[in-house]
């Protein structure tokens, strides 16, 4: 029997001039470097890009919704403010309309010289308060008749007017800003019928007479 020496193992034969490391197979580093990246990483990157696109789309939609809501809110505020001002003006107009007969009485008393003493002080205070609330009186004799702000209660003809004219203010008109709450009630006069056609003929006759009588003497 052949006895094996303990502590020694058989080794493969190594050619002469070669080191023991040459006997072990080496991995080809260039082949490992040329191996493609795992498919899982590419899929993960594509998924992240898709999610990013979705987030951007959702962000754009939410931003548009927010801008639309903000514009609607601004329009709502403007509409509420406009309605509030309109309601306030209507309330003031209704109140002052109820006071117009009192102001008419004050005006008549002033015309007749009866606005004296304590009554005068109270009347002037009431007129001041009404003016502060925006009430304006209008209507004067001699101004052209305007059917949008005047109400003709009397009508006549006059030779000294060239258009329909307010010749008497029977009741003054009142407005608040651009809103008329009562037209001025007036008496109007129109030009005399035929005055515009007769007057030029009369002027021509007068000029002819002056020329015949007032011309230079001949000789």
């Amino acid at each position: 029997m052949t006895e094996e020496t303990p502590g020694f193992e058989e080794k493969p034969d190594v050619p002469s001039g070669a080191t023991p490391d040459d006997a072990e197979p080496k991995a080809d580093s260039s082949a490992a470097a040329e191996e493609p990246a795992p498919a899982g990483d590419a899929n993960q990157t594509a998924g992240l890009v898709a999610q990013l696109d979705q987030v951007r789309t959702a962000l754009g939609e939410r931003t548009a919704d927010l801008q639309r809501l903000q514009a609607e809110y601004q329009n709502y505020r403007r509409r509420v403010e406009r309605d509030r001002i309109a309601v306030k003006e209507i309330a003031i107009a209704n109140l002052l309309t109820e006071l117009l007969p009192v102001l008419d009485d004050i005006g008549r008393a002033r015309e007749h010289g009866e606005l004296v003493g304590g009554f005068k002080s109270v009347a002037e205070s009431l007129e001041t308060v009404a003016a502060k609330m925006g009430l304006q009186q209008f209507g004067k004799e001699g101004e052209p008749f305007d059917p949008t702000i005047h109400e003709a209660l009397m009508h006549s003809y006059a030779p000294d007017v060239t258009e329909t004219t307010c010749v008497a203010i029977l009741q003054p008109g009142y407005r608040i800003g651009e809103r008329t709450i009562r037209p001025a009630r007036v008496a109007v006069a129109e030009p005399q019928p035929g005055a515009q056609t007769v007057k030029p003929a009369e002027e021509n006759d007068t000029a002819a007479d002056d020329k015949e009588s007032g011309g230079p003497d001949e000789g």
Side-chain angles (χ1 to χ4, degrees):
M1 295 181 63
T2 304
E3 295 182 0
E4 296 181 356
T5 305
F8 291 94
E9 296 180 357
E10 294 183 355
K11 295 183 181 181
D13 295 335
V14 178
S16 60
T19 60
D21 295 337
D22 293 337
E24 298 180 358
K26 296 184 178 179
D28 190 351
S29 58
S30 60
E34 293 178 357
E35 291 181 358
D41 294 342
N43 294 335
Q44 185 177 6
T45 302
L48 292 176
V49 172
Q51 292 180 2
L52 180 60
D53 292 338
Q54 293 178 357
V55 170
R56 288 176 177 173
T57 302
L59 178 61
E61 293 175 354
R62 298 300 178 270
T63 302
D65 293 340
L66 181 60
Q67 292 174 348
R68 184 172 60 255
L69 289 175
Q70 186 176 7
E72 292 177 356
Y73 177 67
Q74 293 296 333
N75 293 333
Y76 169 76
R77 288 187 58 185
R78 285 192 291 266
R79 185 169 58 254
V80 169
E81 182 66 16
R82 185 171 59 250
D83 294 343
R84 185 186 67 81
I85 294 175
V87 170
K88 180 181 178 181
E89 291 179 350
I90 293 174
I92 293 175
N94 291 336
L95 173 61
L96 294 177
T97 301
E98 297 297 327
L99 291 177
L100 293 185
V102 178
L103 297 176
D104 292 337
D105 292 338
I106 292 174
R108 284 190 290 267
R110 182 179 287 110
E111 292 176 356
H112 292 83
E114 299 176 357
L115 197 63
V116 294
F119 177 55
K120 179 180 179 180
S121 178
V122 173
E124 291 178 349
S125 298
L126 179 60
E127 290 175 335
T128 300
V129 172
K132 288 182 178 179
M133 296 179 70
L135 185 66
Q136 300 175 358
Q137 180 178 315
F138 66 90
K140 295 181 180 180
E141 294 182 5
E143 64 184 7
F145 175 74
D146 185 353
T148 61
I149 60 174
H150 296 138
E151 180 181 354
L153 301 182
M154 299 177 64
H155 177 269
S156 62
Y157 295 97
D160 57 342
V161 297
T162 59
E163 60 180 343
T164 305
T165 306
C166 301
V167 295
I169 305 300
L170 307 178
Q171 206 172 44
Y174 290 95
R175 68 166 62 97
I176 299 177
E178 299 297 328
R179 180 181 180 183
T180 300
I181 62 176
R182 190 182 76 180
R185 291 162 181 168
V186 300
V188 300
E190 290 183 335
Q192 193 73 28
Q196 297 296 329
T197 58
V198 174
K199 188 174 181 181
E202 293 177 351
E203 289 179 353
N204 292 334
D205 294 341
T206 303
D209 294 339
D210 293 341
K211 183 177 181 180
E212 292 177 357
S213 61
D217 296 338
E218 295 181 358

